[in-house]
Amino acid sequence: MLLCDIGNSSASFLDDNKYFSLSLEQFLEFKSEKTIYYINVNQRIKEHLKLQRNFIDLEPYFAFDTIYQGLGIDRIAACYTINDGVIVDAGSAITIDVISNSIHLGGFILPGIANYRKIFSQISPKLKCEFNTQVSLDAFPQKTMDALSYGVFKGIYLLIKDTVQNKKLYFTGGDGKFLANFFDYAIYDKLLIFRGMKKVIEQNPRLLRR
């Protein structure tokens, strides 16, 4: 089974148990004889996907209990196997969603870590620097690199901590493993979105006969 999660700058694949990722340019040239079950948040390539005969869009098959308007299919897939908890998908944007008794209570969105760096560099050339991933969140910074890092990481940490309360905490996405390190009780699952995709296929077995 070949699954594909298409984002704004890249596409991730799970081929049975083999995970790999392609840039968007590489993805547009990608060919496979297998049926490709996908979700997509990239509006620019929707027409391209419609022309691919062996691509099946899973989005219409998700049955997800939420009143949130415009919830992205990537967020739905990440939440789909969680009955109760807070799900953090840390990619180009950081999305935080809350699930209780299989009902989506809502969520919020932050810039991804790489985009915080871009924002600071646009404010001033003096703020163009890498983040210190080892910065302490327990002491006030004494140099600019640490000040930027502290502001970003502690802001993200406190928002998530305030949201979690006594729920389980799940991380996925490219920066998910790093952010999970700030929480003793966090669960990092690189394949969380793909698990949601697998579940929807299991719920709709006719998809495998197409």
Side-chain angles (χ1 to χ4, degrees):
M1 183 186 299
L2 184 54
L3 305 177
C4 182
D5 170 23
I6 306 165
N8 289 306
S9 59
S10 64
S12 300
F13 289 83
L14 188 66
D15 189 357
D16 293 326
N17 293 316
K18 180 183 177 183
Y19 174 90
F20 63 97
S21 184
L22 300 176
S23 69
L24 196 59
E25 292 75 16
Q26 291 171 323
F27 169 75
L28 292 174
E29 301 297 325
F30 180 77
K31 304 294 182 184
S32 175
E33 294 182 359
K34 292 185 176 181
T35 299
I36 300 173
Y37 300 91
Y38 74 91
I39 59 171
N40 172 49
V41 298
N42 193 322
Q43 298 298 314
R44 294 172 293 167
I45 64 170
K46 276 198 167 185
E47 293 305 315
H48 169 81
L49 292 169
K50 289 178 181 179
L51 298 175
Q52 310 307 307
R53 292 187 176 183
N54 63 325
F55 278 59
I56 295 178
D57 185 2
L58 293 179
E59 182 169 1
Y61 299 94
F62 281 86
F64 192 62
D65 194 347
T66 184
I67 60 171
Y68 187 111
Q69 298 180 28
L71 188 67
I73 187 59
D74 53 342
R75 293 170 68 183
I76 292 173
C79 295
Y80 207 62
T81 60
I82 306 302
N83 295 321
D84 193 86
V86 174
I87 300 90
V88 181
D89 187 353
S92 55
I94 300 171
T95 60
I96 297 93
D97 290 284
V98 183
I99 302 292
S100 180
N101 295 320
S102 297
I103 298 172
H104 181 249
L105 301 184
F108 54 96
I109 304 172
L110 300 169
I113 291 174
N115 283 314
Y116 275 107
R117 285 199 295 269
K118 291 179 182 178
I119 292 167
F120 286 132
S121 68
Q122 291 169 1
I123 295 171
S124 168
K126 292 183 178 180
L127 301 182
K128 186 177 181 179
C129 59
E130 294 297 318
F131 290 152
N132 177 8
T133 58
Q134 304 300 316
V135 67
S136 171
L137 300 186
D138 298 321
F140 290 121
Q142 302 300 323
K143 57 183 178 180
T144 300
M145 175 187 287
D146 289 353
L148 297 173
S149 308
Y150 181 97
V152 171
F153 299 151
K154 189 152 189 177
I156 295 170
Y157 166 76
L158 290 174
L159 274 172
I160 295 173
K161 181 182 177 183
D162 184 64
T163 303
V164 170
Q165 297 181 8
N166 62 345
K167 293 183 177 294
K168 288 185 178 180
L169 178 58
Y170 301 86
F171 283 87
T172 193
D175 289 319
K177 190 173 185 179
F178 167 69
L179 291 177
N181 289 329
F182 289 106
F183 299 87
D184 294 334
Y185 47 87
I187 300 166
Y188 171 68
D189 188 347
K190 181 178 182 178
L191 304 180
L192 188 61
I193 286 177
F194 291 114
R195 298 190 199 287
M197 295 170 69
K198 284 183 176 180
K199 181 178 177 180
V200 84
I201 291 172
E202 291 169 358
Q203 292 173 333
N204 297 273
R206 67 185 183 278
L207 287 171
L208 294 174
R209 296 193 290 269
R210 293 182 60 175

